[in-house]
Amino acid sequence: MGQEAGIVELEVSLRGADGAAVPCYLAEPAGAPHAAGVVIAPEIFGLSAWIRSCARRLAEFGFRAAAVDVFARDPLPDPERAPMPVLLERMQRLSWLGALDDLRAGAAHLRSRGATKSGCLGFCMGGTFTDVCILDEESGIVEVGKVPSTADPIDAVVDCYGRIRHPADPLAAVRRGRCPVLGIYGSRDTSIPLSDVEELRRALAHRPGSEVHVFDAGHAFLNDHRPQHHDSQQAALAWAKIEGFLLRNLG
């Protein structure tokens, strides 16, 4: 446990639905027992130094943040330095339903610490997670904002350049869900066509408070630990949108 500039930092172990221990990094503002919670769904590198910095950033803004290691069952010695083919193979092995259970465990932990509302923020792979963060077990359809009796509700989600075309069908989840969604994308992201982003925008048209913003940047432009992708000016604009959205919906 540590504390820096009014932020309390904790390394905690969640319990996955399969009984596995799931590492989770927690950052929260000191002296704010009922701060709203935000679960962070990581990118392909997992619980990286940058993802931890995102949790601290949210804590500095007044949120209780939990960054969950969805790759806990398939660790790599140094994922931040691993070759991309190795990371992609691990992502292919990942159980999406298991990872969603881990994120729900993170939300439950935040509520146990006093959060009255919970959101989910994800990047790239994690961005897609945010769009499918609630599973309706009866219908077998993954939905944002539809809350089964066994799950904690998610009150808002932020999808940062998550893939819209995916076997989990995030568009179906978005169309059927109810909680507000913020989409953050880059106009120069060669991996996600702008036509897909526009389809997401149309799918969110019925969702009050939902927004999609496209910035003059490429993929992963928020990640300041990857200088080949980071765009400091566009990232600052995007973080302002993220923080304002979370404050409006969770504050």
Side-chain angles (χ1 to χ4, degrees):
M1 181 175 71
Q3 186 164 347
E4 180 181 344
I7 297 172
V8 177
E9 301 174 68
L10 298 166
E11 300 284 348
V12 302
S13 181
L14 308 175
R15 184 63 57 189
D18 60 355
V22 179
C24 175
Y25 171 75
L26 188 74
E28 57 187 24
H34 299 297
V38 180
V39 180
I40 300 178
E43 55 190 357
I44 197 170
F45 304 101
L47 188 49
S48 64
W50 180 67
I51 289 295
R52 291 168 183 267
S53 76
C54 292
R56 289 191 294 273
R57 182 183 187 119
L58 291 173
E60 290 170 358
F61 203 71
F63 296 103
R64 178 178 281 113
V68 180
D69 185 4
V70 298
F71 290 110
R73 299 159 188 81
D74 194 5
L76 292 174
D78 188 357
E80 293 184 70
R81 296 178 182 271
M84 187 56 65
V86 172
L87 295 171
L88 289 170
E89 288 173 6
R90 183 174 69 156
M91 186 175 68
Q92 292 297 322
R93 294 192 298 268
L94 180 66
S95 164
W96 278 66
L97 295 183
L100 292 170
D101 281 335
D102 294 345
L103 295 175
R104 283 197 288 270
H109 185 76
L110 291 173
R111 289 178 182 273
S112 75
R113 295 184 67 83
T116 55
K117 288 187 175 182
S118 296
C120 191
L121 164 65
F123 305 93
C124 191
M125 175 195 78
T128 304
F129 275 137
T130 66
D131 290 333
V132 292
C133 63
I134 296 295
L135 175 65
D136 178 346
E137 294 182 356
E138 274 188 25
S139 66
I141 297 173
V142 177
E143 299 183 0
V144 173
K146 181 168 183 180
V147 184
S149 60
T150 57
D152 288 316
I154 296 296
D155 299 290
V157 299
V158 181
D159 169 4
C160 296
Y161 34 83
R163 295 184 190 279
I164 298 162
R165 301 292 179 185
H166 187 275
D169 202 357
L171 278 176
V174 164
R175 291 188 183 105
R176 295 172 61 93
R178 293 188 294 273
C179 78
V181 175
L182 171 64
I184 299 290
Y185 288 88
S187 63
R188 293 186 279 112
D189 187 339
T190 58
S191 64
I192 302 175
L194 285 176
S195 57
D196 285 2
V197 178
E198 289 307 309
E199 189 164 359
L200 175 64
R201 193 191 303 275
R202 289 192 295 271
L204 288 169
H206 72 291
R207 306 279 284 278
S210 293
E211 308 169 22
V212 176
H213 296 280
V214 178
F215 297 87
D216 182 19
H219 193 71
F221 70 94
L222 288 166
N223 190 338
D224 59 8
H225 288 210
R226 294 174 64 77
Q228 68 272 37
H229 298 295
H230 181 57
D231 185 313
S232 59
Q233 183 177 21
Q234 296 302 303
L237 295 172
W239 274 114
K241 293 292 186 184
I242 292 167
E243 290 162 352
F245 176 84
L246 291 174
L247 186 61
R248 286 192 301 277
N249 289 286
L250 303 180

